[in-house]
Amino acid sequence: MQYQAVVRKFGPAEEVVEIERAALPVLRRDQVRVRLLARSINPSDIITISGAYAGRTTLPFIPGFEAFGVVEACGEEVHGLSPGTRVLPVRSAGGWQEVKDTDPSWCLRVPDTLSDFEATTSYVNPMTAWLMLHKKIGLKPGMRIAINAAASSIGSILIGLANAGGVAPIAIVRSEQSLQRLRGRLEAVIVDKADGDLAAGLAGRHGLDAVLDCVGGGRASILADALKPGGHFVHYGLLSGQSIPNSFWASHPDIFFSYFHLREWVHSEAVGEVQHAYFGVAAQIASKVIATEVREVFPLERVGDALRSALPFRAGGKVLLA
């Protein structure tokens, strides 16, 4: 028997995620059984639970896109993995349970240089940040980029990776409290608390090479105004809850706009390429170039308490289930 966090109807995570006990199935010949040791709570999990991706999500389901564990058993047809291997099972949800049976091809090997909690938070945010910087905008020393929600977990990672690449970004935060959390080399800091703050903060700072936006809404246009012709606007989140206005594209015909979703990249790439990128990210974590702060840890069976602590997402570290 094992504990599982199960969603049987879409809605607010604090209301619809239930903890259940379930028998372990017979392990398939072509799968591995991973004993999960720790799991992250990420915005992508909450969005999926809400029903935003109902067209590709079948009820009931077990949430959790980021979980770390150790291979416990291998089916008879599995080669190349053995019990005891540290892995991140990716490409599917199902991390909010004690044991996950999964495709061995999509178990990323975790180097021993990472602690268990470092491993648990080494995939969603660090991979997203690394890919946006290196695959989307082609980070080069001396580039000028702006990052909003810069005091968030992924904002901190973006700043660390940018610094490692010879770039001091413009950091945009929403409060004085968030300002105190910023670390790293920065070209400037903008505290965007009220209408007009962002435009005023960017005045005289136009000619940016790239904007990394996870907020959306009307402020996206203000950020795009600061880009040079041919600059990159990468949109990867919607913390404001407001879509980018339709006028955005007509007003900025000379920039490169793109969305980034880690899931789409992972599903489009060969596993070898994903593993290669992950090893690069893991090396940055092991060398302390980037880090993820852990705020609280709850046992899986207290998933309700964990969700109430984690939501709404804010600066100050990740909440884990372990």
Side-chain angles (χ1 to χ4, degrees):
M1 300 290 288
Q2 67 157 327
Y3 282 114
Q4 297 177 329
V6 181
V7 175
R8 297 191 176 276
K9 63 179 180 179
F10 296 118
E14 307 97 308
E15 299 176 13
V16 301
V17 177
E18 300 288 345
I19 199 72
E20 299 180 3
R21 292 278 281 168
L24 293 178
V26 175
L27 180 63
R28 282 174 30 183
R29 298 168 61 90
D30 60 346
Q31 289 191 327
V32 293
R33 176 161 292 168
V34 180
R35 174 68 59 178
L36 298 172
L37 303 179
R39 313 139 190 91
S40 294
I41 299 175
N42 289 305
S44 54
D45 302 316
I46 307 307
I47 292 169
T48 303
I49 292 166
S50 75
Y53 305 133
R56 67 184 190 212
T57 307
T58 302
L59 292 170
F61 73 97
I62 299 168
F65 291 109
E66 185 174 45
F68 161 74
V70 175
V71 174
E72 186 171 81
C74 300
E76 298 173 13
E77 297 175 7
V78 173
H79 304 283
L81 272 182
S82 58
T85 305
R86 306 171 83 228
V87 295
L88 289 167
V90 301
R91 238 191 175 195
S92 65
W96 294 4
Q97 57 183 327
E98 291 184 286
V99 171
K100 181 178 181 180
D101 292 353
T102 190
D103 182 346
S105 299
W106 286 100
C107 287
L108 299 182
R109 276 65 164 179
V110 176
D112 291 338
T113 50
L114 301 189
S115 71
D116 287 1
F117 283 179
E118 284 176 329
T120 305
T121 56
S122 65
Y123 177 62
V124 171
N125 281 345
M127 285 280 283
T128 296
W130 190 90
L131 290 164
M132 288 195 300
L133 289 172
H134 292 282
K135 298 290 187 180
K136 281 288 187 179
I137 72 172
L139 186 72
K140 295 180 178 64
M143 288 180 73
R144 298 183 63 235
I145 67 175
I147 299 166
N148 57 15
S152 66
S153 292
I154 192 168
S156 173
I157 291 167
L158 283 165
I159 292 169
L161 290 175
N163 287 172
V167 172
I170 296 171
I172 302 165
V173 297
R174 293 302 301 272
S175 69
E176 297 294 337
Q177 182 181 10
S178 293
L179 175 64
Q180 301 305 315
R181 301 190 62 81
L182 290 175
R183 299 290 184 272
R185 300 190 310 277
L186 299 167
E187 175 183 328
V189 177
I190 298 171
V191 181
D192 180 23
K193 293 190 289 188
D195 288 344
D197 287 350
L198 182 57
L202 289 169
R205 298 189 182 279
H206 286 210
L208 300 182
D209 295 288
V211 165
L212 301 174
D213 168 53
C214 64
V215 176
R219 281 171 165 78
S221 292
I222 300 171
L223 285 167
D225 289 341
L227 285 169
K228 68 181 184 183
H232 291 268
F233 191 106
V234 183
H235 179 58
Y236 69 100
L238 206 61
L239 290 179
S240 68
Q242 300 174 349
S243 299
I244 294 176
N246 292 332
S247 60
F248 175 95
W249 288 271
S251 302
H252 304 93
D254 57 350
I255 66 171
F256 290 105
F257 178 91
S258 61
Y259 295 97
F260 185 81
H261 299 290
L262 179 61
R263 179 184 184 277
E264 293 180 5
W265 184 84
V266 169
H267 280 254
S268 67
E269 295 293 330
V271 67
E273 177 63 23
V274 178
Q275 181 73 70
H276 178 74
Y278 175 71
F279 276 151
V281 166
Q284 300 279 37
I285 297 170
S287 60
K288 310 305 179 186
V289 170
I290 57 175
T292 299
E293 181 182 350
V294 175
R295 175 160 52 88
E296 280 189 278
V297 181
F298 292 85
L300 178 61
E301 55 268 33
R302 289 181 58 199
V303 65
D305 292 335
L307 289 167
R308 284 185 284 276
S309 175
L311 303 176
F313 290 104
R314 60 189 184 277
K318 286 282 189 183
V319 174
L320 304 186
L321 298 164

